[in-house]
Amino acid sequence: MIVLDSHVWLWWLHSPEHLSAPAQEKIAHEEKLHGLKISVISVWEVAVKVHIGKLILPMDIDSWYSAAQSYPGISIEPLHPFDAMESTRLPGTFHKDPADRIIVALARRYGVPLVTCDRKIQEYIHVQTIW
């Protein structure tokens, strides 16, 4: 099982060439095992970026979500109260972005790697990352 950061999810669906070779391999492996976890906060991030014009999807957001959530191997994780609380008390020093904090908390709750190219997350020693 792995957790995909929001940008990794988008790239995997639309531009897999942006993913590193290790990320592509791990995602392909976990896809077969139905082990891809996506935080609902990633859905929110995508919707916000579409709404403000920072992201253009190949279809409207409702159609995109319908297709994206049914992609093989994906499980959209609802916001768990533990993740919400834990995101406010991550150990050590981590930046303030609430979406990143919730995604990190999700990966930590499951004890699985987070696939991301985000340097701030990669440098955070309290979560395992793949890139």
Side-chain angles (χ1 to χ4, degrees), residues 90-91 94 103-109 111-114 116 120-130:
L90 293 171
F94 191 65
I103 292 167
V104 166
L106 173 64
R108 286 175 46 84
R109 176 165 54 94
V112 300
L114 171 57
T116 185
K120 291 177 183 175
I121 297 174
Q122 290 174 346
E123 292 170 359
Y124 182 62
I125 63 170
H126 300 285
V127 68
Q128 181 185 359
T129 60
I130 296 171

Side-chain angles (χ1 to χ4, degrees), residues 55-67:
L55 176 64
I56 298 171
L57 296 173
M59 59 193 77
D60 69 88
I61 188 71
D62 295 304
S63 299
W64 178 85
Y65 176 71
S66 180

Side-chain angles (χ1 to χ4, degrees), residues 4-83:
L4 303 184
D5 202 351
S6 305
H7 64 277
V8 170
W9 184 33
L10 282 165
W11 289 345
W12 176 54
L13 294 173
H14 302 290
S15 304
E17 68 277 5
H18 292 304
L19 298 169
S20 69
Q24 287 181 23
E25 290 171 20
K26 188 64 173 174
I27 292 169
H29 173 76
E30 291 297 331
E31 177 183 30
K32 294 174 190 163
L33 302 174
H34 298 279
L36 302 174
K37 299 289 183 189
I38 310 292
S39 173
V40 71
I41 203 74
S42 293
V43 176
W44 175 79
E45 280 191 298
V46 169
V48 166
K49 288 182 181 187
V50 166
H51 179 73
I52 64 174
K54 284 193 168 187
L55 176 64
I56 298 171
L57 296 173
M59 59 193 77
D60 69 88
I61 188 71
D62 295 304
S63 299
W64 178 85
Y65 176 71
S66 180
Q69 62 89 28
S70 64
Y71 211 79
I74 284 184
S75 172
I76 305 292
E77 289 288 308
L79 180 56
H80 192 283
F82 179 82
D83 297 337

